Structure formats: structure tokens, C-alpha cells
Amino acid sequence: MRIRWKLLLVLLFIALGPGLVLRWIGANSMRDLGTDLAASTREALIRRSGLELRTLVEEHSRILRQQRDLVEMMLQIQATALEKRFAGTSSTETGKTTLYRFETESTGSDAQILDIPKQRPGMMGQSLTVSYREQSILRPPGSGKTGPAGLDRRLTDTVSVYRPLVQKHSDLIYWQMTALKNGLYTIYPAIHYGPQPGARGSNMMGGMMNPSMTPGMMNARMYRKFKEQWYPLAETSRHISWSKPNIDPFTMQMVLTVSAPLYDTSDIFIGVTAIAVPVNVLLKKDMHFRRISANMVSLLVRTHAASGTDQGGIRIIAQQQVEGEMHHHWRALLTARYLEVDDKTQMEKLIADLESHRTNVRKIDYAGQASLAAYGSIDDYGTALLLIVPQKDLAAEADSMGAYVLNRIGQQIKLTRLLLAAVVLAVIALALVLSRSVTKNITQLAGAARRVAAGDFSARVRIQAGDEIGELGQTFNNMVPALEERMDMKQSLDLAMEVQQNLLPQKMPAIKGLDIAGQSIYCDQTGGDLYDFLEVCCQDSNQIGIAVGDVSGHGISAALLMASVRAFLRSRVSQAGGIAQIIADVNRLVAHDTQETGQFMTLFYVQINPKEKTLNWVRAGHDPAFFYDPATDILEQLQGKGVALGIGEDVNYQGNVKTGLSQGQVLLVGTDGLWETRNPAGEMFGKKRLKTLIRKHARLSSGEMLSSILEALKIFRDSAKQEDDLTLVVTKVID
């Protein structure tokens, strides 16, 4: 070893040794400081957010109590007015349950608004029309006269009691009800199913119903079910009482009902009057909770023993649904669902707080992540508002600050690295003087090359020389941006390939009576072939749709069109419609997107119902599918009229059907990349070879048949390059 190299090593050790040690100690200390600072800030933010959540829950409970006080005051006014109306009323017996509507005259702008029939959601998606010009009356056997005399006349007048209250507080009042001790029962506004309100005294029910039930029977049952939620409370307590959150049987909305007893002039109990308030209205103030976290879960809960056990649990009775930034509503859970907390101890503490009506904030493990739960009681039955927020959302600011601190530390470390590099260069310059200029340039090139190899494409060299070394440096500087561009392109293609592969079925569907297998092999990183298995709307759940398509061209553009067609097809199949209309609607969307590009896609779409033994298909410019019956050794091609998707918007397609499917029959749908595959001699695989393979392997399972055909294709192609995408789906009737 030469002296100048030994001197270089000594100088490097003396100059760099202490600096490297100090740099290592300083870097670790700064990293620890940044981590500790982020952790302490995170805990402080979580504590602050917990206090804020608790304050919000308490404030919301206070506002809720104010709303309840307002509703109770309206109910007291309603009860007082009704007692005056019913004072001295007598009744006589009748023989059957009867439903009436009674109209009253209205004046003024508010009254004109209430004169317009309103639409509310009804059962099973039916529209429910309510009329504020009238009320509905349920008259069971033995409740009194059926004519306008007696109690009916006074009931007709009660609309004038209900109407002023709903005019002033239409956002709070959902229903106004009165039920007398003799069974006479009114509800306001009047309810109409199907027919629009009109004729006086007409029956209340309309639309579709059980043929064995009369409209009166059906209405009376729903009225009695609604009455059971509030009438017994006031009848038993003899004072104003709130019900638990219950489901309104007319609209399936969650409501709270407050009821009050009615007395005659002799202070004898004669019935109950009530007001129903939607839960959505009472809890609408919590929209600002979403500003804390977009992932917040809002629930109405009540402690309740889980079904089949004696252990306590927290039953979810409603959950807030968020549709857009401003649209929030509460959805009642019709089936029993319980809150799941990963830690048993946390669940026990949570149950204890709820049973004691305590407002509190606790840390829980919910849905596999650390969360903060804030809760508070909203009624006397133990119903509570429960808000669950992931801690990571609350600590996002701290995490961001921690990342910023660590980034600044990294910058300082880089600066130190540069200073050390400067020392190294000074030592090298001192040891080698000017004789090392050439070596220095080569070393610079090697260092930059290593940075590029490590992924640092900002690396450049500055070689001020007019010789070959300078030319090499200039070439290197020109090469790095081009290499970076190619690497970015490769990463984009890899990502596109991964996304497209995820669009293809990840597993074969399990359909009773069918054995299905499919596979796509692309010639490039991305391709334009498509196969998919679809659930068909409004049909037998055992029915399946199978789509196989081929986009013109290859690469990114073909992959994008393939993804669009897949989305269009999945969306359209989820709606009602015939098979030909489905493809026509999809074509209209595709043609709209491709009218400027000239691209198109062939498609073969088939729906199989193994229960009905039927096969329906539409051929949109695609090669016919192969259908083989081993029992008769007949192999036919499923033809059909139809042009490729994207050629024109207004295109009609032909639906075709095959019935009488039997065990062992095979359906094979593929793309032209299969039979147009060429071997090194330029010969195509052809459909004749494919038909031979179908007959040969028809007794195998679909998966084995698919593998056998692809293996035969691979052997035929040998060393030749795959020039086109190929897709194959095999379906076999096994029952």
C-alpha cells in the first residue's frame, strides 16, 4: 500500500471518528426527543378530545331535555283542550270495527300549507299519504254511535285542537293521537294507503294487502300496535309519561311518544292523548360531532341481556346513517344487535355506567382499534346516546407534528452528512493533491451511480473536464432523468396491473348444480379481456350471470375501457330488466364514452338458472360460445345477433334461450386470443383443436378442463410470444 493511501486512512480516522460518534449520539437523541414529544402531545390531544366529547354529550342532553319540555308543554295544552271537548259525552254500542276520516275548514297561509297532502315513507317501500285537513278514527265494537251525533261530532272538532299545535311546531310533531277508555281512537294527520285523500267518510286503507284481510282489519291492527307503545304508560301512571324509542308501525321510523291521561268533569279517567316525535328531530343537533372525526359511530343503546344468556350486554336500538356532509338520519335496527367491545373489563365498566345513567368518557377497543367512547342518558328507561371515535383520528394532529419533527431531524442529519462529506473531500484533496483529479471524477461518478441504484434520482455529477470523463459525466446526467421516467412508468404499469387483476374474480362462485372455472392471461402488463360472475337482480338467488369480453387493442387504454364496462355491467345487472335490455343499456353508456376514441368491446353475456334448467344469452359482436352435450356428442355454437359495444348508441340486441339443461353438459366461453394463438411456425391453434379438447376432457371438472386446455395451448405455442390476451370460462352442469 502506498504512503498516500496510508496517510489518507489516518487522516480520515482522526477527522471522521469523533464526528461520526457525535453524529450517531445526536441523531439518536433527536429521534428519541421527537418520538417522546409526539407521544405526549398525542395523549394530551386525546384527553382534551375526551373532555370535549363529554361536554358535547352533556350539552346535547340539555338541549334534548329542553325539547322534551317543549313537547310536554304542547301535550298539556292538547290534553286541556281535549278534556273541554269531551266533557259530558255519552256513547252507545255498535256492532263492528269502523274507520272514518273527518274534514274541517282551514284558513290562513299556514292552514293552506297543511291542506296539501304530505308524503311519508310507508311499509315495504310503499308511499304513505297523510292529510292535515282531517284525522283518522278507529271505532271498535261497543264504542258509540257511528253517525255525526254524540262522540263523533266532538271527535270531528278535535282537528281544530291538533292543527294549531302542528302549525307552530311541524318539525317536532309527527303524530297526535287520542284513545278513549271505551276503545275509540283517533290519529292526526289522517293516514292514506294508496288512494289520495278525498271523499268524506271513505275507508282509510288502499293499495296492496293480504286478500284475506279487509282494509279495516289491517288498519285496526296497526293502530292497536301503535297504541300499545304509549297508552298503558299514561293509563297506569296517571301523569305525563315518555315511552322508550319505538318503531312507528305506519312509517317504520323511530319515534319517542309522550302521553297524558284525560279526565272528565268528575275527575274520572276517560282516556289518553299523546304526541309522537321523530328521534331524528330530537337528535339532529349532533351533526357538529362529525367535525371531530368523519369516522365517528353514533348509536342509541340500552343495556339488555343478550339472547340465550344471563350476562348483561349493550343492545343497539338505532344507528345514525350519514349520506353526504349534511344529510344525517337515524335508522332503527329491526333485529337484535349488540355492541361488541374487545376487552371484557371495558364492557363491564361501560354497562355499569349506562345502568346508573352516568355521563362519562372511556377508552375502549372497538372494531379492532383503540377508540374513545362518550355516552349519556337521554330518557328514564336507560336509553343512551353513545359516540365512538377512533383515537387515531383524535391524535392525527399529534401524529402530523411528530412526522414533521422527525422530518426536520432527518434534514439535520442530512446536513451533518454533507458536512462530513466535505471533511472527507478536504482530507482526500490534502492527501492526493491535484494528482487525484481524475480519480476524484471517477469516484464522483461511482457515488452518483450508487445513489441512483438506491433510488435517489436527484443525483447529478459536475465534472468540468473536456475529456472522455467529462463526456461520461454529461451522459450520466442525461441518463438519470430518463431512467427515472422509465421507473415511474414501470411502477405505474405494475400498479395498473395489480388494480386490473383485482377487478377479475378472486374465487370461483359456488352455485348449486354448476361447476364453474375461469382465467385470463394478458400478453402485456395490462389487458383488455374481461370475465366476471354477476348476481342477477330480482331473480332466483341461485341464478348467475357470466360475462366474457374483449376490448379492441391492448395496454392501458384497453384496461380502462374494460374496467368501465365491468362497472356499467355490474351496476345494470343489479337492476330489473331483461337480458337484451341490460346489454342495450350498457352499450349506450359505452358508446357515449368511446365515440371520440373509436374503441369498442365484444361481449358474450349468459345467465344460467340451474333450478329452471335454462340458459339465456346475448352475443354482442363476440365469437359464439361452445355448448357440448356428452350424452349426444353434439357440440354446437351459441349464435345470436348483436354488434360490439361502443359501435353506436341506439342498438338493439337479441336475447336467446336454451332450455332442458342436463347433467354433464358443458358451456365454454372464450376470447379470440385462445384459438388465434400461433406457434413458432406461424400456425394458429384454431377452433378445431379446441373442439377436440372439449370432447376429450368433457368428463373432467371445470377446473381440470380449464387447466388441460391452457396446458395444451402452452405446449402448442412453445417458444412463440403470446400476441393477444386470452380468456376462458368453463361451466359444467353437475346436477
Side-chain angles (χ1 to χ4, degrees):
M1 181 181 293
R2 296 185 180 183
I3 295 178
R4 62 183 177 182
W5 291 111
K6 294 180 181 179
L7 180 60
L8 175 63
L9 292 175
V10 171
L11 291 175
L12 286 174
F13 178 78
I14 295 173
L16 299 181
L20 288 173
V21 172
L22 292 175
R23 176 183 174 276
W24 180 79
I25 295 174
N28 287 337
S29 299
M30 294 178 70
R31 286 195 182 96
D32 292 342
L33 175 62
T35 303
D36 293 343
L37 179 61
S40 60
T41 305
R42 179 186 179 92
E43 286 300 318
L45 281 175
I46 291 176
R47 286 195 300 270
R48 186 185 70 182
S49 299
L51 293 175
E52 182 179 356
L53 278 173
R54 178 168 182 164
T55 301
L56 289 175
V57 170
E58 292 174 344
E59 178 67 15
H60 192 77
S61 298
R62 184 185 63 80
I63 295 174
L64 184 60
R65 286 193 296 271
Q66 291 177 352
Q67 295 275 41
R68 287 163 60 104
D69 291 343
L70 176 60
V71 175
E72 289 181 9
M73 181 182 68
M74 291 189 292
L75 178 64
Q76 189 62 57
I77 295 173
Q78 178 174 304
T80 301
L82 288 173
E83 286 177 346
K84 294 179 181 179
R85 298 283 184 183
F86 292 123
T89 299
S90 62
S91 63
T92 61
E93 297 296 320
T94 62
K96 67 175 184 177
T97 300
T98 310
L99 287 168
Y100 291 95
R101 295 196 306 271
F102 294 89
E103 299 182 3
T104 59
E105 297 300 326
S106 304
T107 59
S109 59
D110 289 339
Q112 292 173 2
I113 293 175
L114 293 181
D115 283 342
I116 302 173
K118 310 294 182 181
Q119 297 294 323
R120 292 183 180 177
M123 296 179 62
M124 298 179 292
Q126 293 185 359
S127 176
L128 180 70
T129 303
V130 297
S131 173
Y132 286 90
R133 299 183 65 245
E134 51 195 355
Q135 64 180 346
S136 297
I137 299 179
L138 176 67
R139 179 186 296 281
S143 63
K145 296 180 180 181
T146 60
L151 191 58
D152 283 357
R153 181 185 302 279
R154 299 180 187 277
L155 285 172
T156 303
D157 293 339
T158 58
V159 176
S160 61
V161 174
Y162 298 142
R163 197 176 176 96
L165 293 174
V166 78
Q167 284 177 350
K168 294 181 179 179
H169 303 284
S170 59
D171 58 331
L172 281 176
I173 298 177
Y174 204 53
W175 300 113
Q176 292 167 275
M177 303 81 67
T178 300
L180 298 183
K181 189 176 180 180
N182 65 355
L184 204 60
Y185 178 16
T186 70
I187 185 168
Y188 178 80
I191 304 172
H192 303 265
Y193 287 82
Q196 296 296 321
R200 295 175 178 264
S202 63
N203 192 283
M204 284 299 299
M205 294 297 295
M208 298 180 62
M209 62 184 69
N210 189 329
S212 65
M213 298 176 66
T214 67
M217 291 168 60
M218 191 173 185
N219 227 358
R221 181 175 298 177
M222 295 175 67
Y223 277 55
R224 285 193 294 270
K225 182 178 180 181
F226 192 27
K227 178 181 175 183
E228 291 170 358
Q229 299 177 4
W230 49 269
Y231 186 91
L233 296 175
E235 182 184 29
T236 303
S237 65
R238 297 302 173 96
H239 58 72
I240 292 178
S241 302
W242 282 88
S243 71
K244 300 177 182 178
N246 286 298
I247 297 175
D248 173 18
F250 302 108
T251 64
M252 305 308 291
Q253 303 297 308
M254 178 156 283
V255 297
L256 286 168
T257 308
V258 58
S259 55
L262 296 174
Y263 299 93
D264 62 11
T265 55
S266 300
D267 203 25
I268 297 175
F269 175 79
I270 61 173
V272 176
T273 188
I275 294 176
V277 183
V279 170
N280 282 339
V281 174
L282 293 178
L283 298 180
K284 66 182 179 180
K285 300 292 184 180
D286 68 350
M287 290 173 57
H288 58 280
F289 288 167
R290 292 279 164 186
R291 299 175 184 172
I292 298 177
S293 170
N295 299 314
M296 176 182 290
V297 178
S298 302
L299 306 171
L300 284 184
V301 299
R302 188 183 301 134
T303 56
H304 191 280
S307 178
T309 68
D310 295 331
Q311 298 179 351
I314 299 176
R315 181 169 180 176
I316 302 173
I317 60 177
Q319 181 170 358
Q320 188 183 50
Q321 303 291 310
V322 180
E323 299 175 0
E325 185 176 351
M326 297 301 295
H327 186 56
H328 304 249
H329 69 278
W330 286 84
R331 179 176 65 86
L333 300 186
L334 302 181
T335 58
R337 178 181 160 199
Y338 293 85
L339 183 71
E340 296 182 1
V341 176
D342 300 338
D343 189 285
K344 183 179 179 180
T345 303
Q346 294 174 350
M347 173 63 85
E348 292 174 349
K349 293 179 179 179
L350 195 59
I351 292 174
D353 284 348
L354 293 177
E355 289 179 342
S356 60
H357 295 201
R358 184 182 301 130
T359 299
N360 204 353
V361 176
R362 288 191 181 276
K363 292 182 179 180
I364 64 172
D365 295 326
Y366 177 77
Q369 57 183 344
S371 304
L372 212 60
Y375 46 89
S377 177
I378 66 170
D379 62 19
D380 299 331
Y381 299 100
T383 306
L385 174 64
L386 173 61
L387 307 176
I388 303 176
V389 186
Q391 289 188 26
K392 65 178 183 180
D393 292 358
L394 301 177
E397 184 179 346
D399 293 340
S400 175
M401 185 184 71
Y404 171 77
V405 171
L406 292 176
N407 180 57
R408 291 300 302 269
I409 291 173
Q411 293 178 359
Q412 293 297 321
I413 292 174
K414 288 181 180 179
L415 179 60
T416 306
R417 202 178 284 141
L418 292 176
L419 293 175
L420 290 174
V423 173
V424 171
L425 291 177
V427 172
I428 292 175
L430 181 63
L432 302 178
V433 197
L434 298 177
S435 63
R436 298 297 298 168
S437 59
V438 174
T439 306
K440 178 182 177 182
N441 290 335
I442 295 176
T443 303
Q444 184 183 168
L445 276 170
R450 283 192 293 271
R451 289 173 59 191
V452 172
D456 183 6
F457 292 99
S458 64
R460 298 292 187 275
V461 295
R462 294 184 179 182
I463 300 177
Q464 297 179 353
D467 54 10
E468 289 81 358
I469 299 298
E471 185 178 349
L472 180 61
Q474 185 62 39
T475 302
F476 178 87
N477 289 338
N478 294 335
M479 176 198 69
V480 172
L483 180 61
E484 181 181 10
E485 182 178 352
R486 289 183 175 273
M487 288 298 295
D488 290 342
M489 184 180 297
K490 183 179 183 303
Q491 291 176 356
S492 299
L493 288 174
D494 289 342
L495 179 60
M497 179 179 66
E498 181 180 352
V499 171
Q500 189 176 32
Q501 289 295 326
N502 288 332
L503 293 179
L504 297 176
Q506 302 302 304
K507 63 179 181 179
M508 298 302 106
I511 302 298
K512 183 178 180 182
L514 298 177
D515 180 19
I516 305 174
Q519 186 175 351
S520 283
I521 303 175
Y522 295 147
C523 62
D524 295 326
Q525 289 174 297
T526 57
D529 273 14
L530 161 71
Y531 81 96
D532 202 1
F533 305 116
L534 307 165
E535 293 184 5
V536 182
C537 170
C538 315
Q539 303 291 336
D540 188 340
S541 60
N542 202 42
Q543 180 169 323
I544 188 172
I546 302 174
V548 176
D550 186 3
V551 179
S552 60
H554 307 289
I556 295 295
S557 60
L560 291 174
L561 182 56
M562 169 267 196
S564 297
V565 173
R566 174 184 179 273
F568 294 154
L569 187 59
R570 279 185 166 241
S571 175
R572 183 57 185 86
V573 169
S574 66
Q575 306 174 37
I579 188 171
Q581 185 60 46
I582 288 174
I583 302 304
D585 293 343
V586 172
N587 171 69
R588 210 163 15 251
L589 297 172
V590 175
H592 181 75
D593 287 350
T594 61
Q595 58 184 349
E596 300 295 333
T597 66
Q599 282 187 294
F600 62 89
M601 179 179 186
T602 64
L603 180 72
F604 193 98
Y605 177 63
V606 57
Q607 291 181 356
I608 305 176
N609 191 328
K611 181 179 179 182
E612 302 294 335
K613 305 298 184 183
T614 59
L615 184 152
N616 295 269
W617 77 90
V618 171
R619 178 172 165 260
H622 199 79
D623 285 278
F626 297 92
F627 186 84
Y628 177 61
D629 187 353
T632 60
D633 195 33
I634 296 177
L635 197 159
E636 59 179 312
Q637 297 189 54
L638 302 183
Q639 304 285 347
K641 296 182 180 180
V643 299
L645 304 180
I647 299 298
E649 292 189 13
D650 298 323
V651 177
N652 295 322
Y653 291 87
Q654 173 184 318
N656 307 275
V657 63
K658 175 178 283 295
T659 60
L661 300 182
S662 61
Q663 185 175 2
Q665 292 178 332
V666 178
L667 173 68
L668 188 147
V669 188
T671 58
D672 56 10
L674 179 60
W675 44 83
E676 292 181 2
T677 295
R678 296 180 182 270
N679 61 14
E683 179 186 6
M684 285 199 302
F685 186 79
K687 293 185 178 180
K688 184 177 180 181
R689 285 188 177 88
L690 180 59
K691 292 178 180 179
T692 301
L693 290 173
I694 294 174
R695 285 190 167 94
K696 179 180 178 180
H697 301 299
R699 308 240 175 233
L700 300 177
S701 68
S702 293
E704 293 171 338
M705 187 175 182
L706 175 70
S707 300
S708 299
I709 293 174
L710 294 180
E711 181 63 23
L713 187 69
K714 180 180 179 182
I715 295 173
F716 174 82
R717 189 175 68 243
D718 196 8
S719 60
K721 180 182 178 182
Q722 181 181 338
E723 296 179 351
D724 195 5
D725 306 329
L726 65 91
T727 297
L728 180 62
V729 177
V730 180
T731 305
K732 188 173 183 179
V733 181
I734 60 175
D735 187 7

